[in-house]
Amino acid sequence: MTAIRVLLVDDDPLVRAGLSFMMGGADDIEIVGEAADGGEVEALVDRTRPHVVLMDIRMPTVDGLTATESLRRREDAPQVVVLTTFHADEQVLRALRAGAAGFVLKDTPPVEIVAAVRRVAAGDPVLSPTVTRQLMAHAAGTAADTRRTRARERVADLNDREREVAVGVGRGLANADIAAELYMSVATVKTHVSRILAKLGLNNRVQIALLAHDAGLLEEPGDH
């Protein structure tokens, strides 16, 4: 079995040491490098070729948001999991919009951080529907109105079936659950998800969920 290659990025050496220690005991995870600032990330990624980057948001010179945006523009982009001390934070939301596959709180139990790395490496986002709603509520306001207009313009490119699948993804459903609800095969759901990503220029399910929310597709009838 190929080990999951992980790069740790945090300006606190104690945090890096703790993460390295907790993940070093997992047979299927290899810590391939550490960085103390976002400015070091691109060169380290070139050198170490990680599958997953654990990225602190707040760093003194180049923050994790800027580093995430730069990484996700690469063709060979690794998955990024944001490390934060906040449940609902505008910078976390921006990192997710930039293509991070999820986030974990720094006080998350070690076993859950290891599980999150495994999930992201396997292509699954680390974001619960409850946390998504908290983040969305945090980002409400005038900017949200502008974002809704743009999001609705983008989802207009989807056909009815793709829109239904996008709503399922936005609700945090697994492919099998979406398939059962919409009376289609899991393979067909996967195909629709791939088409949504391609049509809308997105790179993971988290971004589909965010766009579905921004466009108002997840609101119950009667919601305003």
Side-chain angles (χ1 to χ4, degrees):
M1 181 175 61
T2 306
I4 302 165
R5 299 169 62 80
V6 177
L7 175 64
L8 305 177
V9 186
D10 196 296
D11 63 328
D12 186 338
L14 289 177
V15 171
R16 294 199 308 274
L19 289 168
S20 184
F21 179 76
M22 78 170 69
M23 286 190 285
D27 294 339
D28 58 339
I29 293 177
E30 178 187 358
I31 306 299
V32 295
E34 297 183 15
D37 190 78
E40 303 169 26
V41 172
E42 292 245 28
L44 262 175
V45 166
D46 286 337
R47 196 160 73 241
T48 63
R49 299 292 173 187
H51 300 116
V52 178
V53 178
L54 275 177
M55 181 86 75
D56 186 21
I57 280 282
R58 288 167 177 78
M59 289 178 285
T61 308
V62 177
D63 64 27
L65 174 62
T66 304
T68 297
E69 289 172 339
S70 296
L71 278 185
R72 294 305 302 174
R73 283 195 288 266
R74 297 166 62 113
E75 281 189 24
D76 59 344
Q79 297 292 349
V80 177
V81 177
V82 172
L83 287 167
T84 181
T85 51
F86 299 94
H87 277 279
D89 178 73
E90 181 65 28
Q91 285 188 296
V92 173
L93 191 56
R94 283 178 61 197
L96 295 172
R97 292 187 195 286
F103 75 93
V104 292
L105 298 174
K106 288 189 180 181
D107 60 0
T108 299
V111 66
E112 290 182 27
I113 293 183
V114 170
V117 167
R118 288 176 178 144
R119 282 184 60 190
V120 166
D124 296 323
V126 182
L127 202 64
S128 73
T130 305
V131 170
T132 305
R133 282 194 294 274
Q134 287 176 344
L135 283 166
M136 299 306 172
H138 185 78
T142 309
D145 293 336
T146 306
R147 211 162 39 235
R148 170 157 296 199
T149 302
R150 288 182 186 153
R152 285 184 168 168
E153 288 170 357
R154 293 182 72 188
V155 299
D157 290 337
L158 303 180
N159 63 37
D160 290 344
R161 217 54 169 145
E162 289 164 349
R163 192 177 298 228
E164 289 172 339
V165 171
V167 168
V169 172
R171 287 167 51 208
L173 300 180
N175 286 343
D177 298 322
I178 297 173
E181 275 198 6
L182 299 181
Y183 304 103
M184 59 175 72
S185 70
V186 173
T188 302
V189 173
K190 288 180 179 177
T191 298
H192 281 309
V193 169
S194 295
R195 283 182 184 155
I196 293 166
L197 292 171
K199 270 189 181 182
L200 302 182
L202 305 176
N203 57 34
N204 60 36
R205 293 171 73 96
V206 173
Q207 289 187 325
I208 295 176
L210 291 171
L211 190 65
H213 184 284
D214 286 349
L217 300 185
L218 308 184
E219 293 177 1
E220 297 295 333
D223 278 1
H224 299 289

